[in-house]
Amino acid sequence: MRRADRLFQIIQILRRTKLPVTAARLADELEVSKRTVYRDLADLAGQRVPVEGEAGSGYRLSEYYDFPPLMFTPDELDALLLGVELVQRLPDATLVNNAKDVLSKISSVIPGKLQSVLNPSAVALKPEEPIATKTDTRQIRAAIRDGRKLLIEYRSADGTLSKRVVWPIVLGYDQTHCLLIAWCEKKESFRHFRADRLVSLLLLNEFIDTDRKVLRSRWEEWREAELLRLREIKLLRGL
C-alpha cells in the first residue's frame, strides 16, 4: 500500500469509531509495523490533521475535523458495488431504484482514474433468477422513520384477510421476502408480516407513544425468547 493511501486509510479507520484506536490495531489492519504507524501518525499531525491521543492509550480524530466524504479506495468501491447489487436483488421495488441512484451519484463524483473500477467491476454476485414481485415500501419506511402507526389489510398464508393497526419497527429482508416487523394492537404482541401479502396499507396520523429504540429493543428480546422456545420444542420432539 502506498504511503498516501495508508494515511488516508488511517483517517478512515479513526473516523469509523468514536473510541480511541490503538497503534497495534492500526498496524494489524494496515498490515504494517507499529513503528510505521507512529511515523504515519506524526506525518498526519504535520499535515494539520487533528489526531488526538498518545501511544498506549489510543488515537482518534477530533470531532471538529472535516474530511471530504466521497473519497473511495478501489477496495471500498468493490464493497459498494457488491452492496448495490445485493440491494437490487431484494424484493423491494423502491430500494432497487434507490440503489441504482446511489451508484449513479457515486459514478458522477469519483475521479476519472477510479471509473475503471466501476466498469467493468472486479467483483460480482452469482447470477440468480429475478424475483417476480417487488413491493413498494416507501410508506412503511416513512412510518418507521416518523414513528407513526399503520392500518394494514393482510392476507395470511391460508388466504384469510384481516385488518390491523400496527406499530412498524423495521423491515427485514432475505433474498426472496421482505418482512414488516411490527407490534400488532389486535394481537397485543410482536408479529412478522410478509410485505407481498399486504393487500393495502394506510399511514395514520397517530404517533407511536413508545421510543423507537425502546420498541426495537423489546422486539429483539421477544425474538430471542421465541427462538429459545422453538429450540426447546425441537429438542423435546427429538426425545
Side-chain angles (χ1 to χ4, degrees), residues 57-84:
S57 61
Y59 301 87
R60 62 183 175 185
L61 281 178
S62 168
E63 61 180 311
Y64 302 107
Y65 181 59
D66 186 24
F67 190 71
L70 284 174
M71 296 282 286
F72 297 113
T73 67
D75 288 339
E76 289 169 341
L77 285 173
D78 282 343
L80 282 169
L81 287 168
L82 280 179
V84 167

Side-chain angles (χ1 to χ4, degrees), residues 77-90 99 125:
L77 285 173
D78 282 343
L80 282 169
L81 287 168
L82 280 179
V84 167
E85 192 171 348
L86 281 168
V87 171
Q88 289 178 329
R89 294 188 178 188
L90 295 178
L125 296 177

Side-chain angles (χ1 to χ4, degrees), residues 45 50 90 111 113-114 146 157 161 178 193 227:
L90 295 178
K113 64 180 180 180
L114 289 176
D146 298 342
L161 284 174
C178 170
F193 302 97
L227 290 174

